[in-house]
Amino acid sequence: MPYQLSEINEKIRRDPAAFLAECDAHYQERIHAAVDKILARMKESPIVLLSGPSGSGKTTTAMKVERELERRGVNAHTVSMDNYFKTLNRRTAPRTPEGDIDYESPKLLDMELLDETFDRLSRGEEVIVPHFEFARQMRNDSRGTPLRLGKDEIAIFEGIHALNDDIAGRHPEATGMYISARSNILEGEQLRFKGTWMRISRRAVRDYNFRGTDLLETLLMWYNVRRGEKKYISPYKGRAHVIIDSSLRYEVPVFAHYADALRAAVEQVPPDNERWQEYHDLVDAFRYFEPVDPALVAPDSLLREFIGGGGAAGSAPRPRTSAPRPTACPTSGRSSPWSAARAAWARAWSPPLWRWPCAAWARRWASWTPTSPAPPSPPPSASTPRPRAASWVSTRRRPKPALRS
């Protein structure tokens, strides 16, 4: 169901804090409805398969579902399917039509191990949840986490391919969930902001803040991400027993604080890029919205997964939403030594985007290369190094890194 721009702006002008609380309460109602369905199907299977495209909010939604299940007396364990990636073999890895490794392909997952894991958990047997080391692009089974489900326990397996033929197709008894930002924003009948634009805004900000990926690089990768969604994710959403719309009416006004940095990145996108016009339409659309200070976003809001600042009560950013990929050059999309070095520098020192004092800082950062002057120093208010995001392995009980707002 689409949202109306006039209603959003009116409520922000009247009382932004109350508006944000209202939106978060509506999202929590969707979580309650999902948990009702999971509990109704619990006798059929203790396995929940949660899927959705990049930037849909799977991590936070899984954590909220887990907490609601535990509030109702059902112990729950959230397992990131990223840990089931196989060690990358470049000779046998699936390829895109252009000949690059297809990092969106489900063939990079260990389907046989997932199949065995579901069977053994359903029988009450212990399994070892593997640990994938993204820095080395390999699975380290010696660092796996043991997991066994008791009588009233549920395991939530969360990943973009959870509803795929080779996963949910082999286990139709499992409860399927599909999540995505599905609502557009209209002004009357005029489209002002697409639901897919919410997801690319989320991903761009999150990857910059937590993964050392500059905005331009994210924009250049988006075409292949969308191709993978249409081929590997969207066709299977019909298997879901529960569909959740993760869009929040206040998120575009919050992302309006990042508009200058996003615009600076969009200006560097080559005109022959297939999504050049769409990117310009996206950043231009922020002008229709009353901005909302990110500091007003609640610590446990779904949006904190992308902008950070959730702390222990909120959401921690995940290392990946698709297969591990090398750091890529923002202009060619290919791996390069200088982009890897810049990524490491970013993870250690870059402040969140909305803390840059002006768009010029963002432009200097996005355009830095080894032949340029030294990379821009962080503003004084952001001189403290950001904590690195820890691997998100198996359960909510695992300590999460404290995030900065």
Side-chain angles (χ1 to χ4, degrees), residues 59-60 63 210 304-306 310-311 314-319 389-390 392 399-403:
T59 299
T60 301
M63 293 169 65
F210 305 116
R304 287 293 180 187
E305 179 178 334
F306 307 99
S315 308
R318 287 176 44 197
W392 198 69
K400 300 290 191 299
L403 304 179

Side-chain angles (χ1 to χ4, degrees), residues 13 17 21 35 37 52 85 115 140 142 146-147 159 171 178 202 205 244 256 272 307 310 330 355 392 399:
R13 294 187 194 103
V35 170
K37 189 71 172 181
F85 282 123
D115 191 26
N140 187 346
S142 66
L147 175 63
H171 296 273
Y178 181 83
R202 291 173 175 182
V205 172
I244 298 179
D272 60 350
I307 66 174
R355 288 192 173 183
W392 198 69

Side-chain angles (χ1 to χ4, degrees), residues 77-89:
H77 309 267
T78 301
V79 181
S80 171
M81 290 175 62
D82 285 1
N83 287 300
Y84 286 85
F85 282 123
K86 295 180 287 188
T87 298
L88 185 65
N89 185 331

Side-chain angles (χ1 to χ4, degrees), residues 166-177:
D166 290 325
I167 300 177
R170 299 183 186 182
H171 296 273
E173 73 282 358
T175 300
M177 295 179 61

Side-chain angles (χ1 to χ4, degrees), residues 156-168:
I156 304 170
F157 283 80
E158 172 268 317
I160 60 176
H161 298 303
L163 298 180
N164 186 272
D165 276 340
D166 290 325
I167 300 177

Side-chain angles (χ1 to χ4, degrees), residues 27-150:
Y27 192 72
Q28 192 61 36
E29 291 173 4
R30 301 171 199 169
I31 299 297
H32 291 168
V35 170
D36 290 342
K37 189 71 172 181
I38 292 171
L39 293 177
R41 293 182 48 82
M42 190 174 174
K43 291 183 179 179
E44 299 183 41
S45 174
I47 305 298
V48 176
L49 300 175
L50 192 159
S51 174
S54 177
S56 58
K58 296 182 293 297
T59 299
T60 301
T61 300
M63 293 169 65
K64 286 180 176 290
V65 167
E66 181 179 331
R67 284 197 289 265
E68 180 61 21
L69 283 167
E70 293 185 346
R71 190 184 69 83
R72 301 191 193 188
V74 177
N75 197 19
H77 309 267
T78 301
V79 181
S80 171
M81 290 175 62
D82 285 1
N83 287 300
Y84 286 85
F85 282 123
K86 295 180 287 188
T87 298
L88 185 65
N89 185 331
R90 296 183 178 276
R91 290 180 297 177
T92 60
R95 299 279 174 170
T96 66
E98 294 77 25
D100 299 320
I101 294 178
D102 187 357
Y103 290 102
E104 311 301 323
S105 172
K107 293 181 180 180
L108 295 177
L109 287 170
D110 192 336
M111 298 296 187
E112 298 305 321
L113 180 58
L114 278 167
D115 191 26
E116 177 187 347
T117 297
F118 298 154
D119 285 338
R120 294 182 62 183
L121 286 175
S122 297
R123 295 194 298 265
E125 301 176 10
E126 183 178 276
V127 301
I128 301 297
V129 176
H131 174 76
F132 194 93
E133 296 184 356
F134 287 93
R136 297 198 293 166
Q137 298 190 42
M138 63 178 292
R139 200 169 73 203
N140 187 346
D141 292 340
S142 66
R143 295 185 61 190
T145 305
L147 175 63
R148 183 197 300 270
L149 298 182

